[in-house]
Amino acid sequence: MAVGCIGAARKDSLGKRQVVKLVSIAVCDDEIVECCDIARKIKDVLERKKVPCMIRQFGSGQELLRTAEDFDIIFLDILMQGLDGMQTARIFRKKAFDRIIIFLSSSRDYVFEAYDVEAFQYLLKPLDGKKLEKVLERALLKTESRSQEFLVVSKERQKVKLFLDDIYYFEIRGRQIKAHGTEGNVTYYGKIGDLELALLGKGFYRCHKSYLINLKHVDGYNRQEAFLDNGEGIVIARKRYEGFCGEVLAYMRGHGGIL
């Protein structure tokens, strides 16, 4: 099944798959041996702290920018062939202002440039283990302050993280599920029934056999449609209307709505 988290999926007492949290990290360095070594050191620190993580390695800035994944923390070497770390960070910042970028370099010459892209930290190579651990502790605290629940799905042989708050609705198309979100759409293979079970209690409701909508984004509704805050209207099946009304009103009460 495509729904779930890498190596971190849990099941509750009813055997239903739950959405769990893990930290996703990218390590980008054009020196393959160094890239592997840095990733290993990060993994060792997080395993000691019992922090679930997903670490991916990239050999160039172009490769990192092509990925569809939404990383929490990025370790980025500055001195790379082609697109260097600073150029990569500037491009990355255009689509992800709030992600944590930690620069790596054997030179101190780029410290002040790092401020221009709001780098979280500037670490000198070779990495000092104690320094790396302290920086990771601080970075984890920052990610916790903005943490959200998410799904990890398989798309084109890659794992893609979908933050639930950013999803307007899921749409079933044959054997494919299309997630419509604030950052664009992601299509992957899966079963909407399995997805519906995974999202129980997460603020989603299946208003039609082909649609699972995020109640957070519902602006209004009538007997035929739910109107989302992105301007779209999603059809409500006649037999699901009463259930939808109950769910959306309960959601509003639980999230500060005055009824």
Side-chain angles (χ1 to χ4, degrees), residues 85-259:
M86 283 296 172
Q87 293 171 313
T88 302
R90 290 190 184 100
I91 296 170
F92 188 83
R93 273 288 181 244
K94 292 178 181 178
K95 66 173 183 176
F97 289 101
D98 59 344
R99 299 305 182 261
I100 295 172
I101 294 177
I102 298 172
F103 279 122
L104 308 169
S105 180
S106 56
S107 170
R108 297 179 183 271
D109 294 346
Y110 304 93
V111 172
F112 294 106
E113 280 188 62
Y115 288 111
D116 294 338
V117 290
E118 300 180 30
F120 182 76
Q121 187 70 45
Y122 191 104
L123 293 176
L124 288 174
K125 293 181 178 181
L127 289 183
D128 175 83
K130 290 184 178 180
K131 180 69 172 177
L132 173 63
E133 185 167 350
K134 288 181 180 179
V135 169
L136 274 171
E137 286 175 353
R138 289 175 49 232
L140 290 172
L141 285 173
K142 186 171 181 180
T143 62
E144 286 172 5
S145 68
R146 58 165 290 275
S147 66
Q148 305 173 52
E149 289 186 300
F150 58 83
L151 294 171
V152 174
V153 302
S154 299
K155 177 180 180 291
E156 297 174 355
R157 298 184 180 179
Q158 293 187 6
K159 299 296 182 181
V160 180
K161 187 164 64 174
L162 304 177
F163 284 96
L164 299 188
D165 277 359
D166 296 338
I167 300 297
Y168 293 117
Y169 63 97
F170 292 94
E171 177 185 5
I172 187 71
R173 294 184 173 185
R175 294 176 55 230
Q176 291 185 321
I177 293 174
K178 187 173 186 179
H180 297 255
T182 59
E183 301 297 323
N185 303 328
V186 174
T187 301
Y188 64 97
Y189 287 98
K191 297 178 180 178
I192 199 166
D194 291 339
L195 179 62
E196 185 178 12
L197 285 175
L199 296 177
L200 277 177
K202 306 295 181 184
F204 284 76
Y205 184 75
R206 191 172 177 182
C207 62
H208 185 275
K209 65 179 182 180
S210 298
Y211 298 104
L212 188 62
I213 64 173
N214 189 344
L215 300 174
K216 170 189 173 181
H217 292 292
V218 174
D219 258 358
Y221 61 92
N222 58 31
R223 297 193 72 90
Q224 288 78 41
E225 284 184 297
F227 304 106
L228 307 184
D229 54 21
N230 68 344
E232 289 190 71
I234 304 298
V235 65
I236 302 174
R238 185 183 305 173
K239 65 180 180 179
R240 297 177 189 264
Y241 176 71
E242 287 188 11
F244 170 78
C245 290
E247 289 291 325
V248 76
L249 292 175
Y251 182 87
M252 291 170 66
R253 289 191 191 97
H255 292 79
I258 301 173
L259 302 175

